[in-house]
Amino acid sequence: QTIALDTIPVADFELDPDEGCSPLTVNVNNTSIGNITQYRWTRTGYGYSYGPTYGPFTYTYPPGNAPVTQTITLRALNSCGSTTITQPIVIHRPTIAQFTSSSTTVCLGNDFTFTNQSLGENLTYEWDFGDGSSSTSAGPHTINYASPGTYTVQLIAKGYCGNDTTQRTVIVHPLTVADMTPLDPIEGCS
């Protein structure tokens, strides 16, 4: 008579990649060892899936200022027992440059205030205010243009997931000058 000895299986898998920018497609490679009779997979926010293969999965998130961490868990089972492994996936959100302007038009001598509302991780900034002035600080920036005209304000946000550029046009109107000519006096009025 032959006696077969079995051991508890070792659950294991590789993620390729396990970190990246949204949208991120992750491939799962099952590297478990042992006489496995059941595989039970789960991932954050989803139910169970059974079988030796799992994935790939694409994670898509909107722009934001912090990464999102998701997990994939594998439990490998047989008659001797089971082991479980959980691995994280870090999804970095896309970079988006955006800002608001206190106004789109002003009269000469009045200010515009540009407020940065960019999203992304580890952001740096390059502002161009359209008049030869610039800045690398987040802001807000208050600008008083010296001459009437149309100015294009540009913001480049550089982050973990790349660069993004946005711009908007603002107009500075000249001051209104009243030109008055005196009228001839009216004669003969009583």
Side-chain angles (χ1 to χ4, degrees):
Q1 176 175 7
T2 303
I3 298 175
L5 296 178
D6 209 351
T7 60
I8 297 173
V10 178
D12 200 11
F13 61 94
E14 298 170 346
L15 299 173
D16 181 31
D18 62 358
E19 181 173 8
C21 294
S22 174
L24 177 67
T25 299
V26 177
N27 294 297
V28 182
N29 181 27
N30 184 354
T31 57
S32 300
I33 55 174
N35 179 26
I36 300 168
T37 58
Q38 185 182 62
Y39 297 90
R40 189 168 74 187
W41 299 89
T42 57
R43 65 184 180 123
T44 309
Y46 294 87
Y48 295 114
S49 180
Y50 298 91
T53 61
Y54 196 55
F57 302 104
T58 299
Y59 296 90
T60 303
Y61 287 93
N65 292 322
V68 176
T69 300
Q70 298 288 346
T71 60
I72 292 181
T73 300
L74 170 60
R75 182 175 180 201
L77 302 94
N78 69 14
S79 60
C80 294
S82 67
T83 59
T84 302
I85 182 172
T86 299
Q87 294 190 41
I89 301 164
V90 179
I91 305 101
H92 298 277
R93 295 173 182 259
T95 300
I96 185 167
Q98 54 190 12
F99 67 93
T100 60
S101 175
S102 58
S103 180
T104 56
T105 62
V106 297
C107 290
L108 186 64
N110 292 318
D111 297 333
F112 288 99
T113 299
F114 303 109
T115 304
N116 184 358
Q117 295 182 331
S118 299
L119 297 172
E121 297 173 49
N122 305 317
L123 293 178
T124 60
Y125 308 99
E126 293 179 13
W127 289 90
D128 179 343
F129 298 106
D131 64 348
S133 65
S134 62
S135 178
T136 56
S137 72
H141 298 281
T142 300
I143 305 295
N144 188 304
Y145 291 97
S147 303
T150 300
Y151 298 90
T152 300
V153 179
Q154 177 177 280
L155 171 61
I156 301 171
K158 297 180 178 183
Y160 184 92
C161 289
N163 302 342
D164 189 46
T165 302
T166 189
Q167 60 185 27
R168 65 178 62 226
T169 302
V170 295
I171 299 170
V172 178
H173 293 291
L175 295 174
T176 303
V177 178
D179 185 14
M180 299 176 61
T181 306
L183 299 174
D184 292 334
I186 302 175
E187 296 181 18
C189 292
S190 48

